[in-house]
Amino acid sequence: MELQKIQRTTLTMKEASEYLGISYWLVNQLVRRKEIPYSKVGGRYLFRVQALEEYLSIKEKESIKF
């Protein structure tokens, strides 16, 4: 019997900063200002990959509004 590997759908703050291509400090500031979607579980901040993709899409759309 083979166990299936579980696919993670969340990232830590460090992983989210690498995924977005921005600094850990900036992700921390966005969390403090409640400008980026996150969940706090225990003492850790977790970011769903899908939510970060949606966040980036919204930011892209905002950048071309006049």
Side-chain angles (χ1 to χ4, degrees), residues 2 18 23 31 40 43 53 55 66:
E2 187 176 326
E18 292 171 0
S23 69
V31 165
K40 188 170 184 184
E53 287 292 329
Y55 171 77
F66 298 168

Side-chain angles (χ1 to χ4, degrees), residues 58 60-66:
I58 290 168
E60 286 174 346
K61 290 175 185 171
E62 288 176 356
S63 72
I64 58 173
K65 286 184 181 176
F66 298 168

Side-chain angles (χ1 to χ4, degrees), residues 2-11 15:
E2 187 176 326
L3 295 176
Q4 292 181 353
K5 187 174 180 179
I6 297 174
Q7 182 85 18
R8 286 181 51 208
T9 59
T10 59
L11 303 173
E15 292 168 334

Side-chain angles (χ1 to χ4, degrees), residues 8-65:
R8 286 181 51 208
T9 59
T10 59
L11 303 173
T12 64
M13 194 176 294
K14 181 181 178 195
E15 292 168 334
S17 69
E18 292 171 0
Y19 182 79
L20 295 171
I22 59 178
S23 69
Y24 178 91
W25 180 87
L26 182 54
V27 173
N28 192 26
Q29 292 302 306
L30 294 171
V31 165
R32 290 180 184 273
R33 296 187 301 230
K34 299 185 187 306
E35 294 182 12
I36 192 169
Y38 69 91
S39 297
K40 188 170 184 184
V41 180
R44 299 179 67 169
Y45 294 97
L46 297 176
F47 304 83
R48 284 187 308 119
V49 173
Q50 181 181 357
L52 292 178
E53 287 292 329
E54 291 171 11
Y55 171 77
L56 287 175
S57 292
I58 290 168
K59 290 297 183 185
E60 286 174 346
K61 290 175 185 171
E62 288 176 356
S63 72
I64 58 173
K65 286 184 181 176

